[in-house]
Amino acid sequence: MQVTEREHVVALCGSQRDGSYTRRALERVLAAAEERGATTDLVDLAAMDLPVFDPDGSDAGDADSLRRRVRAADAVVLGTPMYHGSYASPLKTAIDYCGFDEFEGKTVGLLAVAGGSFPVTALDHLRSVCRALNCWVVPHQAAVPRAYRNVSYEDGTGRITDADIEERLRVLGRRVVQYANIEPDPETFEASENVGAGD
């Protein structure tokens, strides 16, 4: 299926680390999306001013900029390192500043990176959050386990050294473009119970 219009894919990087493995993996996902004809935007949360979310200060820092960039997307990729079996707090904070206006009905791809084995629980937790926001999550998800082995910065590029992982990242980029305009129906049960996201 070839894209006839230029879809716009926005990736949120939940890593604060210099030389982030998550950031590098998202760059590979977005490169594959661009090859499918999409425009892309990598939102580096480490470079944004996003205090811990406070409902009484929901416009704090760069929140307006973040929401505008996410609303502009036809599809969103959420990328995170796995911390203590779940996703990173900068990504949680960014999602908390958003809501149905930014995510409802939107196609979302998931990527998680781990220093150890597969970050399955981080991906599962993100999938649950996306259901609460009534997103359509791409069935294909990407993981980079043992990132210190599978991402190399020796040549300064952050090369993915495992061909299977590289291909999974590229497939994720292609899938979010392919399904960018899917219309999920019906609303998820979790979304109908998620009153807070509409505040």
Side-chain angles (χ1 to χ4, degrees), residues 170-183:
R170 294 178 63 79
V171 169
L172 182 60
R174 295 195 295 265
R175 292 292 181 267
V176 293
V177 177
Q178 181 179 359
Y179 296 109
N181 290 314
I182 199 166
E183 295 183 7

Side-chain angles (χ1 to χ4, degrees), residues 60-132:
D62 292 325
D64 281 343
S65 173
L66 170 69
R67 286 191 290 261
R68 278 196 306 272
R69 291 168 79 177
V70 176
R71 277 197 302 268
D74 296 299
V76 176
V77 181
L78 302 177
T80 185
M82 184 172 76
Y83 293 148
H84 307 305
S86 192
Y87 61 101
S89 58
L91 184 57
K92 177 67 167 75
T93 296
I95 294 170
D96 285 348
Y97 275 106
C98 297
F100 286 122
D101 287 346
E102 289 72 35
F103 279 102
E104 186 171 21
K106 198 156 285 185
T107 297
V108 176
L110 302 180
L111 162 71
V113 174
S117 59
F118 280 85
V120 175
T121 53
L123 292 165
D124 287 346
H125 294 172
L126 279 174
R127 191 171 291 273
S128 294
V129 169
C130 289
R131 285 183 59 81

